PDB file of all heavy atoms in Angstrom:
ATOM      1  N   TYR I  21     -18.867  -6.852  -2.880  1.00  0.00           N
ATOM      2  CA  TYR I  21     -17.901  -6.756  -3.977  1.00  0.00           C
ATOM      3  C   TYR I  21     -16.550  -6.303  -3.425  1.00  0.00           C
ATOM      4  O   TYR I  21     -16.469  -5.286  -2.746  1.00  0.00           O
ATOM      5  CB  TYR I  21     -18.363  -5.729  -5.016  1.00  0.00           C
ATOM      6  CG  TYR I  21     -19.667  -6.069  -5.677  1.00  0.00           C
ATOM      7  CD1 TYR I  21     -20.862  -5.578  -5.175  1.00  0.00           C
ATOM      8  CD2 TYR I  21     -19.693  -6.853  -6.814  1.00  0.00           C
ATOM      9  CE1 TYR I  21     -22.059  -5.871  -5.785  1.00  0.00           C
ATOM     10  CE2 TYR I  21     -20.888  -7.150  -7.436  1.00  0.00           C
ATOM     11  CZ  TYR I  21     -22.070  -6.656  -6.911  1.00  0.00           C
ATOM     12  OH  TYR I  21     -23.252  -6.957  -7.522  1.00  0.00           O
ATOM     13  N   ARG I  22     -15.517  -7.056  -3.725  1.00  0.00           N
ATOM     14  CA  ARG I  22     -14.165  -6.638  -3.364  1.00  0.00           C
ATOM     15  C   ARG I  22     -13.612  -5.860  -4.539  1.00  0.00           C
ATOM     16  O   ARG I  22     -13.676  -6.308  -5.678  1.00  0.00           O
ATOM     17  CB  ARG I  22     -13.282  -7.852  -3.074  1.00  0.00           C
ATOM     18  CG  ARG I  22     -11.883  -7.477  -2.660  1.00  0.00           C
ATOM     19  CD  ARG I  22     -11.073  -8.689  -2.224  1.00  0.00           C
ATOM     20  NE  ARG I  22     -11.160  -9.821  -3.116  1.00  0.00           N
ATOM     21  CZ  ARG I  22     -10.376 -10.014  -4.172  1.00  0.00           C
ATOM     22  NH1 ARG I  22      -9.457  -9.137  -4.471  1.00  0.00           N
ATOM     23  NH2 ARG I  22     -10.525 -11.073  -4.925  1.00  0.00           N
ATOM     24  N   LEU I  23     -13.068  -4.682  -4.288  1.00  0.00           N
ATOM     25  CA  LEU I  23     -12.515  -3.843  -5.351  1.00  0.00           C
ATOM     26  C   LEU I  23     -10.991  -3.879  -5.366  1.00  0.00           C
ATOM     27  O   LEU I  23     -10.373  -3.597  -6.379  1.00  0.00           O
ATOM     28  CB  LEU I  23     -12.992  -2.394  -5.198  1.00  0.00           C
ATOM     29  CG  LEU I  23     -14.498  -2.176  -5.165  1.00  0.00           C
ATOM     30  CD1 LEU I  23     -14.819  -0.706  -5.001  1.00  0.00           C
ATOM     31  CD2 LEU I  23     -15.159  -2.747  -6.399  1.00  0.00           C
ATOM     32  N   SER I  24     -10.382  -4.181  -4.243  1.00  0.00           N
ATOM     33  CA  SER I  24      -8.924  -4.177  -4.157  1.00  0.00           C
ATOM     34  C   SER I  24      -8.362  -5.537  -4.550  1.00  0.00           C
ATOM     35  O   SER I  24      -9.015  -6.566  -4.434  1.00  0.00           O
ATOM     36  CB  SER I  24      -8.472  -3.801  -2.752  1.00  0.00           C
ATOM     37  OG  SER I  24      -9.034  -4.666  -1.797  1.00  0.00           O
ATOM     38  N   SER I  25      -7.135  -5.510  -4.984  1.00  0.00           N
ATOM     39  CA  SER I  25      -6.455  -6.702  -5.456  1.00  0.00           C
ATOM     40  C   SER I  25      -6.005  -7.579  -4.284  1.00  0.00           C
ATOM     41  O   SER I  25      -5.755  -7.095  -3.183  1.00  0.00           O
ATOM     42  CB  SER I  25      -5.235  -6.293  -6.279  1.00  0.00           C
ATOM     43  OG  SER I  25      -4.448  -7.403  -6.592  1.00  0.00           O
ATOM     44  N   ASN I  26      -5.880  -8.878  -4.541  1.00  0.00           N
ATOM     45  CA  ASN I  26      -5.340  -9.792  -3.541  1.00  0.00           C
ATOM     46  C   ASN I  26      -3.876  -9.491  -3.249  1.00  0.00           C
ATOM     47  O   ASN I  26      -3.355  -9.861  -2.199  1.00  0.00           O
ATOM     48  CB  ASN I  26      -5.474 -11.241  -3.999  1.00  0.00           C
ATOM     49  CG  ASN I  26      -6.860 -11.776  -3.766  1.00  0.00           C
ATOM     50  OD1 ASN I  26      -7.575 -11.331  -2.883  1.00  0.00           O
ATOM     51  ND2 ASN I  26      -7.254 -12.745  -4.572  1.00  0.00           N
ATOM     52  N   ALA I  27      -3.193  -8.834  -4.171  1.00  0.00           N
ATOM     53  CA  ALA I  27      -1.779  -8.505  -3.980  1.00  0.00           C
ATOM     54  C   ALA I  27      -1.575  -7.427  -2.921  1.00  0.00           C
ATOM     55  O   ALA I  27      -0.449  -7.199  -2.486  1.00  0.00           O
ATOM     56  CB  ALA I  27      -1.176  -8.044  -5.302  1.00  0.00           C
ATOM     57  N   THR I  28      -2.633  -6.791  -2.467  1.00  0.00           N
ATOM     58  CA  THR I  28      -2.516  -5.733  -1.470  1.00  0.00           C
ATOM     59  C   THR I  28      -1.898  -6.260  -0.181  1.00  0.00           C
ATOM     60  O   THR I  28      -0.991  -5.634   0.372  1.00  0.00           O
ATOM     61  CB  THR I  28      -3.899  -5.116  -1.172  1.00  0.00           C
ATOM     62  OG1 THR I  28      -4.468  -4.645  -2.386  1.00  0.00           O
ATOM     63  CG2 THR I  28      -3.788  -3.979  -0.190  1.00  0.00           C
ATOM     64  N   LEU I  29      -2.355  -7.386   0.290  1.00  0.00           N
ATOM     65  CA  LEU I  29      -1.811  -7.960   1.525  1.00  0.00           C
ATOM     66  C   LEU I  29      -0.331  -8.271   1.374  1.00  0.00           C
ATOM     67  O   LEU I  29       0.473  -7.976   2.256  1.00  0.00           O
ATOM     68  CB  LEU I  29      -2.580  -9.221   1.914  1.00  0.00           C
ATOM     69  CG  LEU I  29      -2.124  -9.931   3.180  1.00  0.00           C
ATOM     70  CD1 LEU I  29      -2.317  -9.047   4.398  1.00  0.00           C
ATOM     71  CD2 LEU I  29      -2.885 -11.230   3.346  1.00  0.00           C
ATOM     72  N   PHE I  30       0.040  -8.830   0.242  1.00  0.00           N
ATOM     73  CA  PHE I  30       1.438  -9.157  -0.035  1.00  0.00           C
ATOM     74  C   PHE I  30       2.299  -7.889  -0.055  1.00  0.00           C
ATOM     75  O   PHE I  30       3.363  -7.838   0.562  1.00  0.00           O
ATOM     76  CB  PHE I  30       1.530  -9.902  -1.373  1.00  0.00           C
ATOM     77  CG  PHE I  30       2.915 -10.253  -1.788  1.00  0.00           C
ATOM     78  CD1 PHE I  30       3.583 -11.309  -1.203  1.00  0.00           C
ATOM     79  CD2 PHE I  30       3.564  -9.526  -2.775  1.00  0.00           C
ATOM     80  CE1 PHE I  30       4.869 -11.645  -1.590  1.00  0.00           C
ATOM     81  CE2 PHE I  30       4.850  -9.840  -3.165  1.00  0.00           C
ATOM     82  CZ  PHE I  30       5.499 -10.908  -2.570  1.00  0.00           C
ATOM     83  N   LEU I  31       1.832  -6.860  -0.759  1.00  0.00           N
ATOM     84  CA  LEU I  31       2.605  -5.620  -0.882  1.00  0.00           C
ATOM     85  C   LEU I  31       2.624  -4.803   0.408  1.00  0.00           C
ATOM     86  O   LEU I  31       3.615  -4.148   0.717  1.00  0.00           O
ATOM     87  CB  LEU I  31       2.049  -4.760  -2.016  1.00  0.00           C
ATOM     88  CG  LEU I  31       2.265  -5.291  -3.422  1.00  0.00           C
ATOM     89  CD1 LEU I  31       1.534  -4.426  -4.429  1.00  0.00           C
ATOM     90  CD2 LEU I  31       3.745  -5.361  -3.751  1.00  0.00           C
ATOM     91  N   LYS I  32       1.550  -4.829   1.146  1.00  0.00           N
ATOM     92  CA  LYS I  32       1.457  -4.005   2.349  1.00  0.00           C
ATOM     93  C   LYS I  32       2.190  -4.610   3.533  1.00  0.00           C
ATOM     94  O   LYS I  32       2.819  -3.884   4.298  1.00  0.00           O
ATOM     95  CB  LYS I  32      -0.012  -3.790   2.712  1.00  0.00           C
ATOM     96  CG  LYS I  32      -0.200  -2.903   3.918  1.00  0.00           C
ATOM     97  CD  LYS I  32      -1.665  -2.697   4.200  1.00  0.00           C
ATOM     98  CE  LYS I  32      -1.896  -1.918   5.446  1.00  0.00           C
ATOM     99  NZ  LYS I  32      -1.679  -0.509   5.320  1.00  0.00           N
TER     100      LYS I  32
END
Side-chain angles (χ1 to χ4, degrees):
Y21 298 93
R22 182 173 47 87
L23 304 180
S24 56
S25 172
N26 280 333
T28 304
L29 180 64
F30 178 77
L31 290 174
K32 182 178 175 77

